[in-house]
């Protein structure tokens, strides 16, 4: 078995050298990190767009994970208060610095 990231070249090389009959496991860590990065990106959008992006994600969870969807939906607007108020990152860092 081969564990690979998303590199198409690595996967092609594995097949070329060892044959395509060997099992291949995609790296779960990389997939999870990619999903997390995409979700974090929503916080760089204007609040209205960010909420819409998360709402779309919540809809995708609804069928199989209704409790997770409900949890996210319950605080969704408040997740974007900082964006809505137009706070800059520097001022946020200052708020959370220990004294």
């Amino acid at each position: 078995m081969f564990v690979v990231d998303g590199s198409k070249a690595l996967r092609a090389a594995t097949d070329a050298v060892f044959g395509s009959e060997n099992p291949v496991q995609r790296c779960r860590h990389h997939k999870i990190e990619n999903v997390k990065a995409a979700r974090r990106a929503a916080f760089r959008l204007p609040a209205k767009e960010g909420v819409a992006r998360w709402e779309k994600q919540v809809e995708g969870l609804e069928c199989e994970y209704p409790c997770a969807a409900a949890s996210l939906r319950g605080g969704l607007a408040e997740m974007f208060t900082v964006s809505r108020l137009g706070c800059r990152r520097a001022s946020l860092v200052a708020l959370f610095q220990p004294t």
Side-chain angles (χ1 to χ4, degrees):
M1 178 172 73
F2 297 93
V3 179
V4 299
D5 62 7
S7 169
K8 292 177 184 170
L10 182 57
R11 176 61 198 258
T14 303
D15 287 350
V17 174
F18 299 101
S20 60
E21 299 303 314
N22 292 294
V24 173
Q25 168 69 47
R26 292 288 295 267
C27 179
R28 293 178 184 176
H29 175 76
H30 283 99
K31 289 292 185 187
I32 291 168
E33 290 303 312
N34 290 343
V35 169
K36 286 166 56 175
R39 289 188 174 164
R40 277 192 302 269
F43 293 111
R44 291 190 293 273
L45 298 171
K48 191 173 183 176
E49 292 175 45
V51 169
R53 175 96 38 105
W54 267 87
E55 183 61 41
K56 197 176 219 181
Q57 294 291 316
V58 170
E59 287 172 13
L61 290 171
E62 203 102 59
C63 234
E64 290 192 50
Y65 305 100
C67 290
S71 174
L72 285 171
R73 188 169 275 126
L76 190 56
E78 291 175 350
M79 288 172 51
F80 287 87
T81 300
V82 168
S83 301
R84 187 172 41 78
L85 295 176
C87 296
R88 293 189 332 252
R89 181 175 171 81
S91 61
L92 292 175
V93 171
L95 282 174
F96 296 105
Q97 292 292 327
T99 54

